[in-house]
Amino acid sequence: MGDKPIWEQIGSSFVQHYYQLFDADRTQLGAIYIDASCLTWEGQQFQGKAAIVEKLTSLPFQKIQHSITAQDHQPTPDSCILSMVVGQLKADDDQVLGFHQTFLLKNFQGAWVCTNEVFRLSLHNV
């Protein structure tokens, strides 16, 4: 990892940490958000750490497993990191579904937090 730019190292570490927490215990995700954080989940918007954690913990499945296909990270002019993730997830006994997720990470009081997040399943109606 040492040969990658720092924003890629931070972004990759965040992505790994996020999905480990999400898959193991979604109630622990509050640590990565701040009160000003925003989440758009399948078109629904939530603002604030409490609202985001409430949404994520109320999702209607018992177990989930994410598999990351690709991730890209960019530095922003205001010292943030933009991360985009493409992957697949399997919830309970449902079929495997593709998803896209984007994070905006900011260093806040010495820790990297997610200030903005957008999630969409990769569903196509033909």
Side-chain angles (χ1 to χ4, degrees):
M1 253 188 146
D3 57 340
K4 291 183 179 179
I6 189 69
W7 64 84
E8 286 189 19
Q9 295 175 41
I10 293 166
S12 293
S13 293
F14 175 86
V15 166
Q16 179 181 7
H17 180 66
Y18 176 88
Y19 291 110
Q20 283 176 341
L21 285 178
F22 199 107
D23 292 358
D25 183 1
R26 287 175 276 160
T27 64
Q28 300 300 310
L29 286 170
I32 67 167
Y33 299 104
I34 57 174
D35 288 335
S37 295
C38 293
L39 165 67
T40 301
W41 188 273
E42 289 290 315
Q44 292 183 295
Q45 296 192 2
F46 304 88
Q47 185 165 13
K49 179 191 298 197
I52 292 170
V53 172
E54 181 180 337
K55 172 61 181 174
L56 298 179
T57 56
S58 70
L59 292 168
F61 50 80
Q62 298 301 308
K63 62 181 179 181
I64 188 165
Q65 183 176 4
H66 290 85
S67 176
I68 306 307
T69 303
Q71 54 183 303
D72 297 297
H73 311 281
Q74 295 179 349
T76 67
D78 57 350
S79 301
C80 293
I81 298 171
L82 180 66
S83 296
M84 189 185 91
V85 178
V86 177
Q88 295 181 317
L89 60 83
K90 179 158 180 54
D92 294 332
D93 294 323
D94 294 344
Q95 68 181 12
V96 174
L97 297 170
F99 74 93
H100 295 75
Q101 199 158 8
T102 303
F103 303 96
L104 184 63
L105 310 177
K106 181 174 183 63
N107 193 307
F108 182 76
Q109 298 178 345
W112 286 94
V113 297
C114 178
T115 60
N116 299 80
E117 178 181 352
V118 179
F119 174 87
R120 281 279 182 179
L121 289 172
S122 301
L123 302 176
H124 303 281
N125 295 324
V126 213

